[in-house]
Amino acid sequence: MRKTCLDMVYEMAKADERVFFIGSDLGVGTLDKFKKEIPERFLMEGISEANIVGMAAGMALEGSIPYINTIGVFLTRRCFEQITLDLCLHHLNVRLIGSGGGLVYAPLGPSHLAIEDMAILRCLPNMTILAPADASEMSRLMPLTLEHQGPIYIRLAKGGDAIVTPAEAEYKIGRAVPIRDGNDAVIITTGVGLHVALEAADSLAAQGVRAGVLHMHTVKPVDKEAILQRLQQAPVAVTVEEGVINGGLGSAVAEIVAEANFNPSKKFARIGIPDVFADRYGSQAELMRYYGITAENVADTVKRLAG
Amino acid sequence: MPVNQALSILDKRSLGLRRMIVKTLGAAGRGHLGPAFSLVEIIRALYDHVLRYDANNPSWPLRDRFILSKGHGCVALYVMLAEKGFFNEEELWKLCKFEGLLGGHPEHSTPGVEVSTGSLGHGLPIGTGMALHARRKKENHRVFVVMGDGELGEGSVWEAAMSASKHKLSNLTAIVDYNKSQAYGSTFEVLDLEPLADKWRSFGFETREADGHDVESLAKLFNAKSESGKPVAVICHTVKGRGASFVENNMEWHHKNKIGQDEVSRLMEALEG
């Protein structure tokens, strides 16, 4: 997914001279081709994230479209103010590509986990948040980022994820992708949570529960219409995300559920990282299990709510 | 370099601009007077003698870019922008009012204001991006960023300084309003910046120092292109609150929540010249 994303930045840069690439201190060899062929629009600025975001703002104010890439947690947590004021307040076309979204850096501990990225960015006016589920979806979304107005955060997963998104669906920023039909319940998810959701839906189907899966590659602006449409039909809704449940996709859906004032009321639960700092290392998969971001827990939760 | 007392006797224009600042803050009944007063001659040198702009077309592509990173000094800028015709002078009397255009910190929605500032340490990174962009696009306008001395406590300033230096952005000029005081007290006590000129030099800037109330020498230094191919830093030695003796270096006038008409009258009297 990361390779697809960065390769596409290079392809877009070749075709559009507004595109710049800015890295902090990325791995040796990153986008060498870009650097060699378009050196005047390739920048590697060192470990100075606040400066890089401001610098990108200055370039975007002049009409460029800078794509910044560094570790997601430093981009979002450290630069929250630069993102808020320099990018969102000025409504600038800067694209933030956050590596290691979610629990990818599990072995490195809480300092490296980009788990509150979507929660903290979701409250910012003008911000758009993208979390594709696989490389195929990334390749369909990236070209759309070129003409989109305003800042975008693009969350990268670990990479190597199986392709599960449908090629035939219409891809539009802000538009949910219905992945599976089923009205007994709806599982609403984003990013690689889609893999967990699909596995859960399979398991539920085997038990006679038809769970629909709605995938939100865009967490903000959230496709309220699609969510409400699914909620009208399904008595149970469960959200799945590889991020904190406070403020992320689950919160966005909770707000929609609550304000819809359904009668009779819907059953609803959020699955994600609880309100604690990670106290374990290990692998991404181990931490996902630790927090219950698993197909088994999703399926059990759906069944429990369905009563 | 201390302020040259002989040169810093304020002329008619400097006094007039300060009277407009007082009138503006008086209408709002609040605001940052000290930080605006220390900035007047810097703004004056830039807008009267250095910057390329068109008040009728604020986004004229060939304009020089100016960023007031120490956004709390904005009333000095507002007064100048109104005088130059970027917007109607009447807007000044609605400072910080619900129906007005101008707030207590600059917003890019205001004609002539390039970048919204207020939170410190943002101006130099943005200016670096602008200068880098101009360089890459072979455009020949210049970028000027005015920072406060207290603002130099922000790490992002020095991150940007390293970047600007790396890219040899000779089209970028960092200007420091060095009035040696910040909200709590003197910079020497709160967070000493010395040796300030050496710091900028060591970060790769062609560094100049000036009496920050001497318009002629400021204009000369701002106009002078980089000789070394490095970005330029101009350290302007100023006096906070310059213009009225009871305000000068008086911390109470960094920011006031309430500026009464009696204070306005007293200031106006002091600025009669």
Side-chain angles (χ1 to χ4, degrees):
Chain A
M1 186 187 288
R2 177 169 186 261
K3 188 176 181 316
T4 303
C5 180
L6 296 187
D7 283 350
M8 293 197 75
V9 174
Y10 161 68
E11 293 297 335
M12 291 190 291
K14 278 201 296 189
D16 190 327
E17 63 168 20
R18 294 174 300 170
V19 174
F20 277 74
F21 177 78
I22 310 178
S24 59
D25 184 31
L26 306 179
V28 67
T30 302
L31 281 178
D32 265 351
K33 241 169 32 172
F34 191 135
K35 185 181 178 184
K36 196 168 160 230
E37 291 172 31
I38 326 171
E40 71 280 6
R41 285 187 275 134
F42 178 92
L43 297 157
M44 192 64 74
E45 294 302 299
I47 305 161
S48 61
E49 292 87 359
N51 171 53
I52 290 169
V53 175
M55 179 188 273
M59 300 172 86
L61 279 163
E62 301 293 340
S64 288
I65 307 177
Y67 285 75
I68 299 177
N69 178 221
T70 190
I71 293 176
V73 69
F74 303 130
L75 200 47
T76 56
R77 195 191 278 159
R78 186 193 297 266
C79 299
F80 183 65
E81 195 184 78
Q82 279 75 20
I83 293 172
T84 305
L85 299 176
D86 302 353
L87 305 188
C88 292
L89 179 61
H90 291 88
H91 204 264
L92 295 179
N93 296 335
V94 173
R95 283 75 179 97
L96 307 167
I97 302 169
S99 298
L103 296 163
V104 170
Y105 292 124
L108 306 183
S111 67
H112 280 56
L113 301 181
I115 54 176
E116 70 283 86
D117 53 347
M118 296 198 284
I120 60 179
L121 297 184
R122 200 169 70 84
C123 65
L124 297 178
N126 298 332
M127 177 54 85
T128 292
I129 303 170
L130 301 181
D134 56 35
S136 169
E137 188 171 67
M138 180 66 82
S139 71
R140 288 188 293 270
L141 288 172
M142 283 302 281
L144 306 179
T145 64
L146 205 53
E147 299 308 329
H148 183 84
Q149 291 303 305
I152 305 176
Y153 174 64
I154 302 162
R155 191 195 223 218
L156 299 181
K158 191 174 184 178
D161 309 284
I163 305 297
V164 290
T165 54
E168 67 278 9
E170 185 197 358
Y171 282 87
K172 201 173 162 191
I173 291 173
R175 182 75 55 83
V177 183
I179 305 281
R180 188 167 299 186
D181 290 331
N183 289 337
D184 293 338
V186 57
I187 304 170
I188 303 171
T189 187
T190 187
V192 295
L194 178 58
H195 298 258
V196 176
L198 285 172
E199 211 184 306
D202 285 344
S203 153
L204 286 164
Q207 300 169 66
V209 180
R210 295 183 62 250
V213 175
L214 188 63
H215 171 53
M216 321 296 295
H217 53 61
T218 308
V219 172
K220 191 187 181 200
V222 74
D223 188 348
K224 189 175 172 181
E225 202 183 320
I227 292 171
L228 274 174
Q229 195 192 9
R230 286 297 184 115
L231 284 170
Q232 294 283 4
Q233 294 153 354
V236 171
V238 173
T239 59
V240 184
E241 63 195 303
E242 193 188 358
V244 295
I245 56 167
N246 291 339
L249 174 71
S251 291
V253 175
E255 290 154 17
I256 292 167
V257 173
E259 286 189 337
N261 293 308
F262 287 110
N263 189 16
S265 61
K266 300 287 173 183
K267 299 287 186 182
F268 175 68
R270 295 173 295 164
I271 291 174
I273 297 160
D275 190 18
V276 292
F277 285 105
D279 58 358
R280 300 293 175 97
Y281 304 105
S283 67
Q284 178 189 17
E286 282 173 314
L287 278 202
M288 285 186 63
R289 271 199 297 280
Y290 185 55
Y291 290 126
I293 309 170
T294 59
E296 192 186 10
N297 187 36
V298 174
D300 287 350
T301 305
V302 168
K303 281 190 291 180
R304 179 171 53 80
L305 293 178
Chain B
M1 177 192 282
V3 175
N4 184 329
Q5 295 299 327
L7 280 175
S8 63
I9 292 168
L10 300 175
D11 63 13
K12 216 170 137 186
R13 180 157 165 73
S14 278
L15 288 168
L17 289 166
R18 281 179 175 76
R19 281 199 297 274
M20 287 291 276
I21 290 170
V22 171
K23 206 174 154 192
T24 304
L25 290 170
R30 59 171 303 141
H32 291 88
L33 184 126
F37 268 18
S38 75
L39 196 58
V40 171
E41 282 70 35
I42 294 172
I43 293 282
R44 194 181 144 185
L46 285 166
Y47 279 83
D48 283 355
H49 304 290
V50 180
L51 296 178
R52 213 161 50 172
Y53 57 85
D54 177 358
N56 296 316
N57 182 14
S59 53
W60 178 43
L62 302 182
R63 74 196 183 279
D64 289 325
R65 273 55 164 175
F66 172 66
I67 300 173
L68 183 63
S69 194
K70 55 164 277 186
H72 52 291
C74 61
V75 182
L77 175 64
Y78 293 160
V79 163
M80 182 59 81
L81 291 176
E83 194 203 66
K84 297 292 184 187
F86 281 90
F87 49 78
N88 197 307
E89 188 184 292
E90 297 302 310
E91 287 297 338
L92 296 175
W93 323 136
K94 292 182 274 181
L95 177 74
C96 296
K97 298 276 196 268
F98 188 74
E99 64 276 14
L101 174 73
L102 309 171
H105 289 90
E107 291 290 336
H108 65 292
S109 51
T110 300
V113 173
E114 203 77 55
V115 175
S116 297
T117 52
S119 178
L120 298 171
H122 289 244
L124 197 60
I126 295 174
T128 299
M130 287 176 161
L132 194 54
H133 188 278
R135 172 66 58 78
R136 294 286 198 266
K137 297 287 175 184
K138 299 186 169 42
E139 292 163 356
N140 72 354
H141 57 261
R142 299 174 70 191
V143 181
F144 295 85
V145 180
V146 170
M147 290 169 284
D149 44 16
E151 179 174 6
L152 301 187
E154 296 284 4
S156 52
V157 169
W158 303 100
E159 291 180 10
M162 286 194 282
S163 258
S165 171
K166 166 186 164 179
H167 293 290
K168 299 188 170 49
L169 297 178
S170 55
N171 54 348
L172 175 71
T173 301
I175 298 167
V176 180
D177 177 2
Y178 195 17
N179 58 33
K180 288 117 192 142
S181 69
Q182 49 195 110
Y184 183 76
S186 92
T187 55
F188 303 109
E189 289 163 3
V190 179
L191 186 66
D192 192 6
L193 296 162
E194 288 298 330
L196 186 55
D198 287 346
K199 281 194 174 75
W200 283 99
R201 267 183 215 110
S202 73
F203 272 77
F205 278 61
E206 184 177 311
T207 305
R208 306 162 183 169
E209 292 187 76
D211 174 342
H213 297 296
D214 177 355
V215 176
E216 204 179 318
S217 67
L218 287 175
K220 208 170 139 192
L221 288 180
F222 296 159
N223 269 324
K225 299 270 167 66
S226 166
E227 290 167 10
S228 55
K230 296 174 178 178
V232 173
V234 183
I235 297 168
C236 304
H237 294 272
T238 58
V239 174
K240 195 154 179 170
R242 183 71 182 158
S245 58
F246 65 97
V247 170
E248 287 181 7
N249 294 319
N250 179 347
M251 298 316 298
E252 283 177 25
W253 282 93
H254 172 76
H255 177 261
K256 268 187 184 275
N257 288 324
K258 202 166 187 295
I259 298 175
Q261 283 313 305
D262 51 332
E263 289 172 308
V264 170
S265 306
R266 208 173 151 213
L267 281 162
M268 285 301 214
E269 207 172 300
L271 293 166
E272 277 309 312

